[in-house]
């Protein structure tokens, strides 16, 4: 840091030229931003104003302005070499630009340096920018710069107008110095922010503030903060708000453009997150849809606390595999219990009869048993017809647990038919037939309040017991 | 095998709301009883496979034809009735293979784009879990009364 500050002070002698440098640079930006607003007087007033300010204050301003330039501009310093800059400045410049020159620039820069008079660095800046445009730029920063300048100044009017500004030679070191500091990632819009002022006086009034900070900000890689400060001062001092708005709009747009895709030149810069390209819009829609689906899947799949999309997909895949495996296992394991089902269903009638017989047969019991047989037979063939038969009789299917609960709750003495209930156990279908409906047949006939409960089960081979089904897979009740 | 399922009548009246549990249970129990009735008791593995096919068939029928995976399942069932089909080989989930593995798991996933695949997977998982619940309940209720 020390050598550079020494260099800056060493060049205080050429401060006037430096000021005109900065003024010229400011004028370029101003012209480009205003595009004819009233910047005509600036090149005239600038040089005069430059002599008014103190020499010590302006190196900071120049420092800040030029330090915010993108590093791709650094090769501008190459142009200075044939112009006999101060020795120290040249040294620093050469050291700083060691890694910053893009391959295609130096030759063009040298050629350009030959073409223009030494005091016309401002025009060189403009030309450099145009060259960036032509060559396509080496960085998005360069591209953004190109876009902004291309917007405003296609015309070559800069050159003849700036040719008038008496820029002293030997101040190239000033220009080059801050470029060495600008090796960090500089914001593209910073130079535009800092080049906000409209009036010549406003330019230097606003400059008075940040100039003191320039020294402190000298060695810092972060010049954006310093550059933004001048911009705020400039906007405050700006006489025409239009320029300020244009500059800030362009600045914000270029800031967001860095995040978005790099559109070709002369296209409207889109706001952040809203690309104008139809492909990216479709892409964004697709991504949103996929994100929605993933969220829905996350709710279905247990253990969905994974934030990573890939691990979430893995979890989903594993869960699907697990479910499919469960289906397979359950279908295999049901053989053990189900193996007895077929003979049981076939033996339904005999079981029912024996159960009814052991419980004490009576006419109503027989009726119900007959009904049970009928339903059993029907259930073997077609479920639908079985249910229709039941409904026709005014009966309904009911879970056995519920049926037993009802039978115990009514506290009626065990009926002859209840033995069939107890002997039923749970069928693998889990059905129970309960009299219910408009014409409930009352088998016992002695207690009209309590309905006779009989359970028809497909698996009635189980010994009696107050068998409540632990879980009912199906509960069908008459509506 | 799925004749009784297809003969049931109306497909899912509200496919957008998802499959209904009652319809699923109804179809599956019917199919199950049919399986028990028709297969000989000696061939256990054969019956197991039939039960599994009945499960998938009832799942697909209750889900309706509005879903890609259900259509694919029914297609596969109809074709398998004619010829023996091989079980689809499973891909191991590697970094690049996740979408592929998912496509192989979900029926009919090969012809879908990624977005549709995720949607179908969600519906498939819903139906699968309902089917598993149903079968688990049946097994539980039948096994708790073993002598």
């Amino acid at each position: 840091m020390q050598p550079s500050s020494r260099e800056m002070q060493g060049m205080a002698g050429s401060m006037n030229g430096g000021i005109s440098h900065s003024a010229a640079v400011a004028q370029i930006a101003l012209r480009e931003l205003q595009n004819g607003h009233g910047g005509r007087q600036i090149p005239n007033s600038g040089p005069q104003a430059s002599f008014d300010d103190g020499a010590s204050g302006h190196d900071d301003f120049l420092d800040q302005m030029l330090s915010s330039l993108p590093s791709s501009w650094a090769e501008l310093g190459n142009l200075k070499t044939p112009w006999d800059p101060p020795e120290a400045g040249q040294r620093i410049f050469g050291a700083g630009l060691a890694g910053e020159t893009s391959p295609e620039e130096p030759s063009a820069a040298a050629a350009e340096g030959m073409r223009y008079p030494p005091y016309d660095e401002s025009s060189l800046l403009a030309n450099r920018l145009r060259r960036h445009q032509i060559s396509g730029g080496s960085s998005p920063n360069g591209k953004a710069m190109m876009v902004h300048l291309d917007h405003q100044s296609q015309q070559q009017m800069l050159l003849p107008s700036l040719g008038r500004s008496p820029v002293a030679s030997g101040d190239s070191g000033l220009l080059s110095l801050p470029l060495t500091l600008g090796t960090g990632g500089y914001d593209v819009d910073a130079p535009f922010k800092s080049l906000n002022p409209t009036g010549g006086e406003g330019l230097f009034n606003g400059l008075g503030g940040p100039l003191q900070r320039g020294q402190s900000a000298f060695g810092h890689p972060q010049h954006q903060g310093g550059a933004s400060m001048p911009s705020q001062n400039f906007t405050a001092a700006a006489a025409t708000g239009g320029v300020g708005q244009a500059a800030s709009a362009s600045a914000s747009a270029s800031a967001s453009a860095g995040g978005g895709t790099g559109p070709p030149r002369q296209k409207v810069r889109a706001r952040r997150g809203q690309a104008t390209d139809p492909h990216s819009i479709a892409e964004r829609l697709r991504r949103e849809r996929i994100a929605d689906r993933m969220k829905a899947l996350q709710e279905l799949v247990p253990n969905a606390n994974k934030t990573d999309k890939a691990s979430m997909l893995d979890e989903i895949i594993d869960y699907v595999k697990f479910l499919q495996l469960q289906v397979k296992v359950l279908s295999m394991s049901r053989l053990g219990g189900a193996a007895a089902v077929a003979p049981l269903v076939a033996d339904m009638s005999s079981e029912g009869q024996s159960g009814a017989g052991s419980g004490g047969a009576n006419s109503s019991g027989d009726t119900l048993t007959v009904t049970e047989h009928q339903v059993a037979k029907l259930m073997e063939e077609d479920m639908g017809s079985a249910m229709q038969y039941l409904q026709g009789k005014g009966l309904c299917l009911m879970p056995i647990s519920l049926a037993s609960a009802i039978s115990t709750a009514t506290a009626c003495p065990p009926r002859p038919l209840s033995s069939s209930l107890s002997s039923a156990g749970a069928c693998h279908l889990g059905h129970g037939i309960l009299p219910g409906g408009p014409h409930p047949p009352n088998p016992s006939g002695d207690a009209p309040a309590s309905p006779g409960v009989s359970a028809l089960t497909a698996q009635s081979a189980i010994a009696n017991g107050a068998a409540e089904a632990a879980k009912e897979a199906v509960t069908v009740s008459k509506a | 095998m799925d004749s009784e399922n297809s003969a049931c009548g109306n497909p899912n009246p509200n496919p957008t709301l998802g499959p209904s549990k009652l319809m699923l249970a109804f179809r599956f129990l019917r199919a199950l009883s049919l399986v028990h009735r028709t297969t000989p008791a000696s061939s256990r593995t054969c019956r197991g496979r039939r039960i599994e096919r009945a499960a998938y068939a009832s799942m697909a029928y209750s889900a309706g034809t509005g879903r890609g995976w259900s259509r694919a399942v029914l297609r596969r069932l109809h074709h398998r009735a004619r010829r023996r089909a091989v079980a689809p080989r499973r891909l191991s989930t590697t970094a690049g293979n996740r979408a592929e593995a998912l496509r192989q798991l979900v029926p009919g996933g090969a012809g879908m784009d990624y977005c549709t695949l995720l949607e179908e997977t969600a519906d498939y998982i819903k139906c699968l879990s309902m089917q598993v619940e149903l079968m688990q309940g049946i097994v539980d209720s039948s096994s708790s009364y073993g002598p």
Side-chain angles (χ1 to χ4, degrees):
Chain A
M1 309 310 153
Q2 288 311 311
S4 34
S5 53
R6 262 186 276 117
E7 285 310 322
M8 285 302 292
Q9 281 147 19
M11 276 173 285
S14 59
M15 199 42 61
N16 290 340
I19 297 306
S20 50
H21 252 292
S22 58
V25 170
Q27 287 153 26
I28 294 171
L30 272 178
R31 188 155 300 111
E32 286 144 7
L33 295 173
Q34 298 182 26
N35 204 10
H37 260 244
R40 293 282 174 243
Q41 71 277 9
I42 292 186
N44 298 327
S45 59
Q48 285 88 24
S50 66
F51 296 107
D52 296 337
D53 292 324
S56 59
H58 293 294
D59 50 350
D60 300 333
F61 159 71
L62 185 63
D63 192 21
Q64 298 222 336
M65 280 185 48
L66 296 173
S67 61
S68 58
L69 291 176
S71 55
S72 54
W73 286 33
E75 93 285 345
L76 273 172
N78 283 336
L79 308 171
K80 309 298 182 283
T81 52
W83 299 340
D84 189 19
E87 306 307 307
Q90 195 172 14
R91 270 204 308 276
I92 291 176
F93 171 75
L97 289 179
E100 288 171 0
T101 56
S102 46
E104 75 274 10
E105 296 300 344
S107 57
E112 192 171 10
M114 290 309 132
R115 260 186 285 145
Y116 292 105
Y119 57 80
D120 220 350
E121 288 97 1
S122 51
S123 58
L124 277 166
L125 272 177
N127 276 327
R128 178 59 49 230
L129 291 176
R130 262 181 279 116
R131 197 164 304 280
H132 268 286
Q133 294 172 2
I134 295 165
S135 63
S138 55
S139 65
N141 284 343
K143 275 191 195 156
M145 304 283 285
M146 287 174 342
V147 169
H148 284 287
L149 296 176
D150 199 14
H151 258 316
Q152 315 294 342
S153 62
Q154 295 272 2
Q155 52 277 27
Q156 309 262 336
M157 52 181 274
L158 287 173
L159 295 178
S161 59
L162 291 173
R164 281 176 282 138
S165 61
V167 177
S169 61
D171 49 6
S172 53
L174 275 178
L175 192 61
S176 62
L177 252 184
L179 294 179
T180 68
L181 305 168
T183 52
Y186 287 118
D187 207 11
V188 162
D189 50 291
F192 296 98
K193 279 185 197 164
S194 54
L195 297 180
N196 233 346
T198 55
E201 277 69 26
L203 170 71
F204 293 103
N205 290 339
L207 290 181
L211 290 184
Q212 285 83 27
R213 287 191 297 276
Q215 288 292 344
S216 56
F218 210 97
H220 300 190
Q222 316 238 359
H223 289 271
Q224 297 178 10
S228 55
M229 287 303 291
S231 72
Q232 289 160 20
N233 288 332
F234 294 163
T235 45
T240 64
V243 174
Q245 287 162 16
S248 52
S250 59
S252 57
S254 60
S256 59
T261 60
R265 307 165 234 144
Q266 313 193 13
K267 250 200 196 153
V268 178
R269 284 269 167 181
R271 279 181 288 129
R272 180 171 218 119
Q274 288 193 12
T276 53
D277 192 16
H279 293 297
S280 40
I281 286 179
E283 188 61 35
R284 201 159 30 95
L285 273 174
R286 179 177 167 269
R287 262 181 273 137
E288 281 170 9
R289 263 189 292 163
I290 287 181
D292 289 337
R293 307 276 202 275
M294 287 293 290
K295 242 182 291 186
L297 272 171
Q298 251 183 336
E299 291 159 16
L300 282 177
V301 176
N303 245 352
N305 48 1
K306 310 284 191 298
T307 49
D308 185 19
K309 236 178 78 168
S311 56
M312 196 58 224
L313 263 180
D314 282 338
E315 198 68 37
I316 291 168
I317 288 174
D318 286 340
Y319 189 59
V320 170
K321 280 194 206 163
F322 164 71
L323 286 176
Q324 286 177 341
L325 184 65
Q326 258 198 319
V327 168
K328 191 180 265 301
V329 163
L330 280 172
S331 64
M332 293 291 183
S333 75
R334 300 217 47 255
L335 294 177
V341 168
L344 280 175
V345 171
D347 292 340
M348 250 326 284
S349 48
S350 56
E351 287 284 11
Q353 274 175 4
S354 60
S358 63
N362 49 6
S363 60
S364 48
D366 289 332
T367 316
L368 211 48
T369 317
V370 165
T371 311
E372 287 174 357
H373 298 332
Q374 281 282 66
V375 175
K377 257 184 244 149
L378 281 173
M379 265 171 49
E380 286 176 40
E381 295 155 7
D382 186 15
M383 198 64 145
S385 59
M387 289 168 69
Q388 281 171 12
Y389 177 76
L390 280 174
Q391 286 185 8
K393 288 206 160 284
L395 300 173
C396 70
L397 291 179
M398 159 177 266
I400 293 177
S401 54
L402 188 56
S404 54
I406 289 178
S407 70
T408 52
T410 54
C412 60
R415 223 142 288 193
L417 287 176
S418 60
S419 59
S420 62
L421 165 66
S422 51
S423 67
C427 78
H428 81 282
L429 295 175
H431 293 299
I433 298 179
L434 181 71
H439 307 287
N442 202 341
S444 64
D446 48 354
S450 60
V453 171
S454 77
L456 175 70
T457 66
Q459 194 178 14
S460 58
I462 311 303
N464 57 355
E468 296 94 19
K471 234 182 280 186
E472 287 303 323
V474 171
T475 72
V476 181
S477 61
K478 183 169 155 54
Chain B
M1 186 54 59
D2 54 0
S3 54
E4 75 279 6
N5 267 324
S6 52
C8 176
N10 55 339
N12 195 2
N14 46 359
T16 53
L17 297 185
S20 87
K21 274 190 176 178
L22 192 59
M23 291 302 294
L24 181 72
F26 187 70
R27 285 175 197 270
F28 179 62
L29 289 169
R30 212 166 48 163
L32 194 59
S33 59
L34 182 68
V35 168
H36 284 317
R37 209 186 332 149
T38 53
T39 58
S42 54
S43 55
R44 297 207 163 190
T45 49
C46 177
R47 183 184 290 154
R49 262 186 260 120
R50 286 206 196 184
I51 290 177
E52 186 186 359
R53 275 210 298 272
Y56 277 106
S58 60
M59 246 201 321
Y61 274 110
S62 67
T65 49
R67 283 288 167 196
W69 66 266
S70 59
R71 287 194 295 264
V73 166
L74 296 178
R75 251 197 318 248
R76 200 196 300 174
L77 282 175
H78 285 302
H79 291 159
R80 272 195 186 163
R82 297 182 214 145
R83 55 182 168 95
R84 288 289 175 193
V86 219
R89 64 181 171 86
R90 303 284 175 85
L91 267 180
S92 63
T93 313
T94 60
N97 265 340
R98 281 188 190 94
E100 260 315 302
L102 197 55
R103 277 177 214 274
Q104 295 220 335
L105 283 177
V106 176
M112 299 176 187
D113 50 317
Y114 190 63
C115 198
T116 321
L117 181 68
L118 289 180
E119 199 178 341
E120 295 282 327
T121 305
D123 199 65
Y124 188 56
I125 285 179
K126 262 188 254 173
C127 283
L128 261 182
S129 45
M130 269 202 310
Q131 181 76 38
V132 165
E133 266 179 53
L134 175 65
M135 293 173 77
Q136 191 75 52
I138 290 173
V139 168
D140 282 349
S141 60
S142 68
S143 66
S144 56
Y145 301 104

